[in-house]
Amino acid sequence: MPKISDERRAARRQQILDAAWVCFQSRGLHATTMDDIIRASGLSAGAVYSYFRSKDELILAAVTTSLSGLRDLVEPLFTANPPPPPRELLQQIAGAIADFTARDGYDLKRIALLGWSEAQHNPALHEPMRDFYLAFRTRLADAARRWSRTRPGMDPEAMAKVLLSLLLGYVVQSAILGDVAAADLAVGLGGLAPPHDR
Amino acid sequence: MPKISDERRAARRQQILDAAWVCFQSRGLHATTMDDIIRASGLSAGAVYSYFRSKDELILAAVTTSLSGLRDLVEPLFTANPPPPPRELLQQIAGAIADFTARDGYDLKRIALLGWSEAQHNPALHEPMRDFYLAFRTRLADAARRWSRTRPGMDPEAMAKVLLSLLLGYVVQSAILGDVAAADLAVGLGGLAPPHDR
Amino acid sequence: MPKISDERRAARRQQILDAAWVCFQSRGLHATTMDDIIRASGLSAGAVYSYFRSKDELILAAVTTSLSGLRDLVEPLFTANPPPPPRELLQQIAGAIADFTARDGYDLKRIALLGWSEAQHNPALHEPMRDFYLAFRTRLADAARRWSRTRPGMDPEAMAKVLLSLLLGYVVQSAILGDVAAADLAVGLGGLAPPHDR
Amino acid sequence: MPKISDERRAARRQQILDAAWVCFQSRGLHATTMDDIIRASGLSAGAVYSYFRSKDELILAAVTTSLSGLRDLVEPLFTANPPPPPRELLQQIAGAIADFTARDGYDLKRIALLGWSEAQHNPALHEPMRDFYLAFRTRLADAARRWSRTRPGMDPEAMAKVLLSLLLGYVVQSAILGDVAAADLAVGLGGLAPPHDR
DNA sequence: GATGAATGAGTCTTCATTCAT
DNA sequence: AATGAATGAAGACTCATTCAT
């Protein structure tokens, strides 16, 4: 076979990555064997290893690819000026996460947990993940800063931390309990916060 | 009469469980070998296996023990009548999680991620975990219900989902970004919610 | 099984080493698979790996063990005072090498070639081998120095180099052509050297 | 008519062989992968395989080519009539081996060890090698026979074995200890042999 | 003719678990 | 009851070779 085109190469890579996602999701990162992925990808061991040097590299690629896919989905939501009010923005992002999930048959929410867990002991994974969530939180803080203009005295950083927690927690709760909808966040948030408490 | 008293047995079990936690935390659930745990526990392979039939059983015990430890810590916070206002309760629980973490040198927040991840593919783990968080959320809904009395029109179930998300997300964010304090939740929550958004 | 005695451990090690020698000799260092050795040793993979951490370590042990075995056999030949004349010493050492060979069914001469070859690209092997042959040559130079007393003007270092070459070359020639006896060295040496040439 | 001229074919073959030598020397026969050679040769896998059917064939060609290269270098030394005296001939041959070594950046002495080692388990390699050294020794015996005319009672065959041993051992000692010069052989030989011993 | 992507059998090594002593 | 040596199935990865383009 002569030199393969770049698109073909990229397509093969994606084909392997997709196979990996499916396996990772159904068996977990470590319980998935290379053989699982190889079989699922429909390629040979050698072919898979010519695209990804090791299982670790495959895990890294799978997680970072997923991260950047999520970013592409969420990024547009931050361009509105002025930003939608907190609860609406929250619902939009949570909705985007849920949509991403539906795509291609694997559940981002469940897979996110795998990545977070792995990142605890895998610095090569932790670093890009940290960068991603930091950048994400910065976006949220930007929005919070603009909300705060109309009502001073707020702490945009803390608001961003709360918003991010809400989203991350939504993912966890969905993965474990499975009965949380994006809309619940907005609705539930309405009942909390001042002036009700205290 | 057993050659080894029940207390001694329980102590041995805990000794193994502690060793397992330390290993799990620093290496991850799957990357930790039984040999790691055996060595860390200071016992022999046979001894460890006489207390836990398999690695899976050890993982299960480690996770459920940790879950019930957390419950014991959080439970008292729900007994106050009337319950503290949302933001205060939130901070108390988050504080308890952080305290639990500090205990014994292992970080519950980081370990929680391992358990959630594992539970995605381990039904024996998923079930008790689901039960735990469901019970936890019920507690939160109870509190929400009582808050709602003074101000009707709220949705206690949705409020509980938001509170739980906030707490779970706090754990994730702490584990990945590491710069979130229990107090941030209360502060940040103040800036969100009505009447500001719309 | 309780703790194994040191002798038993050493015996097991030797058992594996013997199996390795047989395989190495008949298949070569690299063409021998760990599975070959495992099967030949009559133990399990895990058992073999509990005695030798890797194939490289096994190769190293096999070669250095053989080297020190040879040393033990040759060392006594250097204790005679005064040393036997060159041709006699040569024949004694070559004879010892041949004897070593006969022992236990593997041929040191053929195996030596494997070790030399491997040492070219394996520093961990090259170093002890270099040390061994350097020490060996020092012994030869000591003997040469004593011969030189009765007839000055000789160069003991060069004589040692020649003697060592003769012995090493005897091994190579035996391994490749197979028709050289220890006695040939002494006989043939008689025809060379002054005053005949020039 | 072939698309590629015979000279071009021969040049390509040599190009591959050269690449192989460089790889073999620096990594060893087995540790060198076909990919190493392919890359070093600057050709494609298919091209290399069109010149050599297998790695074994490449190894065989590399060794026999090297052997015949050495023969071409040494052969002229045997044409002198009468032959130079033993020590001088020895030094000339050893010098030729060293020169061959210097050529093209690979060291025949180190590579010879690889070939000898491989020949132990590779009959296709052992046979031509045996033939080569046998022929070489015959040349040496011829010379010895002529030396013996002036001084009867010598054993030309044994003398040839000693000379060959000396040369082979010189190669080994150079490869392992690296501090032997061609001249050492002649000098050292002077101190051995009768009438000193006995 | 040439290319180099793909193949897949085979290698080394690990590790949960057992059981003879 | 306790020990820890032994087991062996399985996993990640390599590499000589082929063949579609």
Side-chain angles (χ1 to χ4, degrees):
Chain A
M1 302 169 187
K3 207 154 205 158
I4 217 170
S5 72
D6 278 3
E7 299 100 69
R8 245 190 124 62
R9 237 195 114 69
R12 274 264 198 270
R13 241 185 101 91
Q14 194 55 48
Q15 172 184 357
I16 296 167
L17 235 25
D18 285 346
W21 267 131
V22 170
C23 294
F24 288 155
Q25 160 158 341
S26 66
R27 259 154 285 188
L29 253 28
H30 282 92
T32 292
T33 70
M34 283 305 283
D35 207 50
D36 290 335
I37 297 172
I38 287 158
R39 236 185 324 245
S41 73
L43 297 175
S44 66
V48 169
Y49 272 92
S50 82
Y51 287 91
F52 298 93
R53 263 197 294 250
S54 66
K55 189 181 178 184
D56 268 0
E57 196 173 304
L58 197 40
I59 289 176
L60 179 62
V63 172
T64 55
T65 294
S66 153
L67 245 28
S68 64
L70 179 59
R71 171 165 40 220
D72 294 346
L73 219 59
V74 166
E75 194 65 25
L77 305 179
F78 287 114
T79 55
N81 197 347
R87 296 197 291 172
E88 196 174 322
L89 178 63
L90 199 60
Q91 189 167 346
Q92 284 177 0
I93 298 175
I97 293 173
D99 285 355
F100 185 93
T101 285
R103 207 182 70 169
D104 301 318
Y106 37 74
D107 185 341
L108 177 69
K109 299 199 293 302
R110 294 182 62 201
I111 284 175
L113 299 193
L114 308 187
W116 298 339
S117 174
E118 178 68 9
Q120 301 303 305
H121 320 94
N122 184 339
L125 201 54
H126 188 260
E127 201 195 346
M129 186 173 281
R130 178 190 178 86
D131 290 348
F132 172 80
Y133 286 112
L134 231 30
F136 190 14
R137 203 172 66 186
T138 299
R139 290 297 203 185
L140 292 170
D142 288 343
R145 214 162 286 122
R146 287 195 255 171
W147 295 325
S148 302
R149 280 185 201 150
T150 62
R151 168 105 179 252
M154 300 294 100
D155 179 344
E157 292 301 330
M159 286 165 72
K161 287 177 182 177
V162 164
L163 287 170
L164 183 54
S165 282
L166 230 23
L167 289 164
L168 295 171
Y170 160 68
V171 169
V172 178
Q173 199 174 169
S174 296
I176 299 176
L177 300 182
D179 60 355
V180 192
D184 289 330
L185 294 184
V187 172
L189 195 54
L192 302 169
H196 310 282
D197 50 347
R198 126 66 63 102
Chain B
M1 58 184 74
K3 290 222 170 152
I4 270 190
S5 71
D6 279 1
E7 298 104 68
R8 221 177 149 63
R9 252 198 96 74
R12 274 262 202 274
R13 248 185 94 89
Q14 194 54 49
Q15 174 183 358
I16 295 167
L17 238 25
D18 285 346
W21 267 133
V22 170
C23 295
F24 287 155
Q25 159 156 344
S26 63
R27 258 155 286 186
L29 251 30
H30 281 91
T32 292
T33 68
M34 283 303 284
D35 202 54
D36 288 335
I37 297 172
I38 287 160
R39 225 172 350 228
S41 73
L43 299 175
S44 68
V48 169
Y49 271 88
S50 79
Y51 287 89
F52 298 93
R53 256 197 294 251
S54 69
K55 189 182 177 184
D56 271 356
E57 195 173 306
L58 197 39
I59 288 176
L60 180 62
V63 171
T64 55
T65 296
S66 156
L67 245 28
S68 66
L70 179 59
R71 171 166 42 223
D72 294 346
L73 216 61
V74 167
E75 196 65 26
L77 305 179
F78 288 115
T79 55
N81 197 342
R87 297 198 292 172
E88 194 173 321
L89 178 63
L90 198 61
Q91 189 167 346
Q92 284 176 1
I93 298 175
I97 292 173
D99 286 354
F100 186 92
T101 284
R103 203 182 75 171
D104 301 319
Y106 41 74
D107 185 340
L108 176 68
K109 297 199 292 302
R110 294 182 62 201
I111 285 175
L113 299 191
L114 308 187
W116 297 339
S117 174
E118 180 69 10
Q120 300 303 306
H121 321 94
N122 186 336
L125 200 55
H126 189 258
E127 199 195 348
M129 185 173 283
R130 178 188 178 86
D131 291 348
F132 172 81
Y133 287 112
L134 232 28
F136 189 15
R137 202 171 66 185
T138 299
R139 290 298 203 184
L140 292 169
D142 289 344
R145 215 161 286 120
R146 286 194 255 171
W147 295 325
S148 303
R149 279 182 202 153
T150 62
R151 170 111 177 245
M154 301 292 102
D155 179 345
E157 291 302 329
M159 287 167 71
K161 287 176 181 178
V162 164
L163 287 170
L164 182 54
S165 282
L166 232 21
L167 288 165
L168 295 172
Y170 160 69
V171 168
V172 177
Q173 198 174 171
S174 296
I176 297 174
L177 300 182
D179 59 356
V180 192
D184 288 329
L185 296 184
V187 171
L189 196 54
L192 301 169
H196 311 283
D197 49 346
R198 204 336 103 97
Chain C
M1 302 168 184
K3 208 153 205 158
I4 217 171
S5 73
D6 278 2
E7 300 101 68
R8 245 189 124 61
R9 237 195 113 68
R12 275 265 198 269
R13 241 185 100 91
Q14 195 55 49
Q15 172 184 358
I16 296 167
L17 236 24
D18 285 346
W21 267 132
V22 170
C23 295
F24 287 155
Q25 160 157 344
S26 65
R27 257 154 287 187
L29 251 29
H30 282 91
T32 292
T33 69
M34 283 303 286
D35 208 49
D36 290 334
I37 298 173
I38 287 159
R39 233 179 333 238
S41 73
L43 297 176
S44 67
V48 169
Y49 272 90
S50 83
Y51 287 91
F52 297 94
R53 263 195 293 247
S54 67
K55 189 181 177 185
D56 269 359
E57 195 171 307
L58 196 41
I59 289 176
L60 179 62
V63 172
T64 56
T65 295
S66 153
L67 246 26
S68 66
L70 179 58
R71 170 166 41 222
D72 294 347
L73 217 59
V74 167
E75 197 62 29
L77 305 179
F78 288 114
T79 55
N81 198 346
R87 297 197 291 171
E88 194 173 322
L89 179 62
L90 200 59
Q91 189 167 346
Q92 284 177 1
I93 297 175
I97 293 173
D99 286 355
F100 186 92
T101 285
R103 206 183 69 172
D104 301 319
Y106 37 74
D107 184 342
L108 177 67
K109 297 200 293 304
R110 294 181 62 202
I111 283 174
L113 299 192
L114 308 187
W116 297 338
S117 174
E118 178 69 10
Q120 300 304 305
H121 320 95
N122 185 337
L125 200 54
H126 188 261
E127 200 195 347
M129 185 173 283
R130 178 189 177 86
D131 290 348
F132 172 80
Y133 286 112
L134 232 28
F136 190 14
R137 202 172 66 185
T138 299
R139 290 298 205 183
L140 293 170
D142 289 342
R145 215 163 285 122
R146 285 196 256 173
W147 296 325
S148 304
R149 280 184 202 152
T150 63
R151 170 109 179 249
M154 302 291 101
D155 179 344
E157 292 301 330
M159 287 165 72
K161 287 177 181 178
V162 164
L163 287 170
L164 182 54
S165 282
L166 233 21
L167 289 164
L168 295 172
Y170 160 67
V171 169
V172 178
Q173 198 175 169
S174 297
I176 298 175
L177 300 182
D179 59 357
V180 193
D184 289 329
L185 294 184
V187 171
L189 196 54
L192 301 169
H196 311 283
D197 50 346
R198 158 24 85 91
Chain D
M1 54 185 72
K3 291 221 170 153
I4 271 191
S5 72
D6 279 2
E7 297 104 68
R8 221 178 149 62
R9 251 198 96 74
R12 274 263 203 274
R13 246 186 95 90
Q14 194 55 47
Q15 175 183 359
I16 295 167
L17 238 23
D18 285 346
W21 267 132
V22 170
C23 294
F24 287 156
Q25 160 157 340
S26 65
R27 259 155 285 187
L29 251 31
H30 281 90
T32 292
T33 68
M34 283 304 284
D35 202 54
D36 289 336
I37 297 171
I38 287 159
R39 218 159 10 215
S41 73
L43 300 176
S44 68
V48 169
Y49 271 88
S50 78
Y51 288 88
F52 297 94
R53 256 197 296 253
S54 69
K55 187 183 179 184
D56 270 357
E57 196 173 304
L58 196 40
I59 288 176
L60 179 62
V63 172
T64 54
T65 295
S66 155
L67 245 28
S68 65
L70 180 58
R71 172 166 42 220
D72 295 346
L73 217 59
V74 167
E75 195 63 26
L77 305 179
F78 288 114
T79 57
N81 197 347
R87 295 198 293 171
E88 197 173 317
L89 179 63
L90 198 60
Q91 189 166 346
Q92 284 175 1
I93 299 176
I97 293 173
D99 286 354
F100 186 92
T101 285
R103 205 183 72 169
D104 301 320
Y106 41 74
D107 185 341
L108 177 69
K109 301 199 291 303
R110 296 181 61 201
I111 284 176
L113 300 192
L114 307 188
W116 298 339
S117 174
E118 180 67 10
Q120 300 303 306
H121 320 93
N122 185 338
L125 201 54
H126 188 259
E127 200 195 347
M129 186 172 281
R130 177 189 178 87
D131 291 346
F132 172 81
Y133 286 112
L134 230 30
F136 189 14
R137 202 172 67 186
T138 299
R139 290 296 202 185
L140 292 170
D142 289 343
R145 213 162 289 121
R146 286 193 256 171
W147 294 324
S148 303
R149 283 183 200 152
T150 62
R151 169 109 178 249
M154 300 293 101
D155 178 344
E157 291 302 328
M159 285 166 73
K161 287 178 181 176
V162 164
L163 287 171
L164 182 55
S165 282
L166 230 23
L167 289 164
L168 295 172
Y170 160 68
V171 168
V172 177
Q173 198 174 170
S174 295
I176 299 175
L177 299 182
D179 58 356
V180 193
D184 288 329
L185 295 184
V187 172
L189 195 53
L192 302 169
H196 310 283
D197 47 347
R198 163 25 79 98

